[in-house]
Amino acid sequence: MIKPLRGMKDLMFDDAQRFVHIVTTAVKVAKRYGYSYIETPILEETSLFKRSVGDSSDIVSKEMYQFEDKGGNDVCMRPEGTAGVVRAFVSAKLDRQPMKQKFYYYGPMFRYERPQKGRLREFHQFGCESFGEASVYEDFTLIVMISQIFKELGIGFDLLINSLGCPECMPPYRENLVNFLTDIKEELCEDCNRRIGTNPIRVLDCKNEKCQSLLPQSPKLIDNLCESCESDFKKLTELLDEAGIAYTVDTNLVRGLDYYNKTAFEFVSNEIGAQSAIAGGGRYDKLVEYLDGKPTPAVGFAIGIERIMELVKMPQPQREGYYMGAMVPEAVEKVIMLANDKRAQKKVTVEYSSKGFKSHMKGVDKSNARFAVLIGEDELKNGTVWIKDMESKEEKTISLEEF
Ligand code: HAM
C-alpha cells in the first residue's frame, strides 16, 4: 500500500471542513480590508528563494525541495508565499504603477524539515501582502486584521512584536552584535558560530539553552534604532494600546527569513505544543528592489493553517437543504429527476434505493437536511410529494408544481 510521504497528509472529513472554514473566514476578512486573490506557481526558479528568503537562512540552506527539471533548470517547490507574490508583482510591472496593491493567497508550502507535531513538510498558509504603503498604520492594520481572523475563528493568541531596523540602523547594530558574539563564541553552539559569519541576528533566536542563557547581556537593536524606526515602532505600540490588542516586545524575535526590516511580529498559541507560532510576518521594504523591481515598501503575514486547525471553534452545523427518497421502486427515477432540478438552487441528498419510511428518516438525520421529501405509491399516482420541515416539524403533501 502506497502511503503519503513523511510529513505530508491527506485531508478529509472533519479536518477538511475545518480547513475550508479557516480559509473561508480568512478570505471574508481579507476582502473587507481590500485584498484581492492572487495565485502564483508552486514551482519557481531556485534563485528566487535564494535572493529573497536568503542563502544563509535555514529554509534555503537546509529545507528546500530543490531539483533539476527535465530541461536542466534549477527549480524549487515554494517554501513560503511572499517571494512568489513579489515576483508576480514585479513580473506584471505593478511596481511602475502608482496604485497600491493588496493580495491574499492560500495554498501548500514545502519545507524539508524534521516532521513533528505542528511541523510538516507540506503545510498550508493563508497570507496577505500589501504593496506601496510605507506608513506604520498599515503594519498596525495587518495586525488588527489577523486578530480579527483569529477572533472570528474563536482562537486565543499572544502577540510578539519587534523592530528589525533598516539599512541605516541595522549595519552598525550588526557590527556591535558580532563583537559581542565573537567574545563569547567558545560558549556558543556550532550553528551559532557559523551564524556569526553569515547571519549574526539569527543567533538571537537559537533554541539551544546554553546560547539562550548568554543572550540577555547582548546588545538590543530596539535600543539602537534610528529616529524613523524608533518613532514607527513607538507609534505601533501606541496604536496597539489604543486598540486594546495586548502584545509583548520580544527583542529576540528575528524571524527565519532574511527579507524583513522594521516591524516583525509573530502570533503564538500556548495550546499547541512546541511549534507554537500560528502566524508571522512583518515589513519587507527592500524585497521588491532585490527582485529587480522599483523601490516599493511592503508588509505582509502568513497564518499556518494546520497549526490552528485544532484550535478552531467550528460553528454548529445548521440543517440545510433537502433529503429525497422513494418508498416504492417505481418512484426512484421520479425522485432522481426532481432532485437534480432542485439542485439548481439547493443542496439535495438523494437516496437511490427505495426504502421504508423509518429507514429514510434515519437518512434525513444523517444528511442533516432541513426538509425530508418522500414519494410513495400514492404520491406517485397523484403527482404529489410528502414533505416535512425538520425544524418546525410541520408536514404536508403538496403538488409537484408547488414543490
Ligand atoms: P513563516 O513564519 O516562515 O513566515 O511561516 C508562517 C507560518 O507558517 C508560521 O507561523 C507557522 O504557523 C506556519 N509554518 C511554518 N513552517 C511550518 C511547518 N513546517 N509546518 C506547519 N506549519 C508551518 C512566512 O512564511 C512569511 N512568508 C510570512 C510573511 C508574509 N511575511 C511577510 N509576508
Side-chain angles (χ1 to χ4, degrees), residues 80 82 111 113 120 125 129 255 259-260 277 300-301 304 307:
E80 58 104 49
T82 311
R111 296 183 192 174
E113 297 191 76
L120 292 157
Q125 289 184 344
E129 313 294 349
R255 311 275 299 125
Y259 46 64
Y260 294 109
F301 73 87
R307 296 246 173 113

Side-chain angles (χ1 to χ4, degrees), residues 278-309:
I278 53 176
R283 191 161 268 289
Y284 52 93
D285 293 330
K286 294 288 162 204
L287 187 54
V288 175
E289 233 172 309
Y290 285 155
L291 297 178
D292 305 320
K294 285 192 162 177
T296 309
V299 55
F301 73 87
I303 295 174
I305 297 183
E306 283 83 357
R307 296 246 173 113
I308 58 172
M309 211 96 115

Side-chain angles (χ1 to χ4, degrees), residues 53 59 63 79-83 105 109-111 113 116 118-125 127-129 142 255-257 259-260 265-267 272 275-284 299-308:
V53 176
I59 295 179
E63 299 167 3
E80 58 104 49
T82 311
Y105 54 89
M109 309 292 159
F110 300 84
R111 296 183 192 174
E113 297 191 76
Q116 54 171 259
R119 195 200 273 158
L120 292 157
R121 288 182 172 168
E122 182 187 24
F123 60 98
H124 296 76
Q125 289 184 344
C128 283
E129 313 294 349
L142 278 184
R255 311 275 299 125
L257 310 96
Y259 46 64
Y260 294 109
F265 55 82
E266 234 161 60
F267 286 71
I272 52 171
Q275 302 306 314
S276 60
I278 53 176
R283 191 161 268 289
Y284 52 93
V299 55
F301 73 87
I303 295 174
I305 297 183
E306 283 83 357
R307 296 246 173 113
I308 58 172

Side-chain angles (χ1 to χ4, degrees), residues 35-89:
Y35 284 76
S36 63
Y37 183 55
I38 188 168
E39 173 85 33
T40 66
I42 287 170
L43 208 56
E44 297 268 7
E45 264 182 44
T46 299
S47 59
L48 171 65
F49 302 109
K50 288 194 167 171
R51 268 160 76 180
S52 52
V53 176
D55 250 333
S56 66
S57 65
D58 283 357
I59 295 179
V60 169
S61 64
K62 303 184 199 160
E63 299 167 3
M64 299 250 273
Y65 273 88
Q66 182 184 357
F67 58 95
E68 198 180 285
D69 72 6
K70 289 194 167 65
N73 305 300
D74 184 1
V75 296
C76 179
M77 313 264 278
R78 62 183 185 195
E80 58 104 49
T82 311
V85 174
V86 174
R87 190 213 31 73
F89 177 82

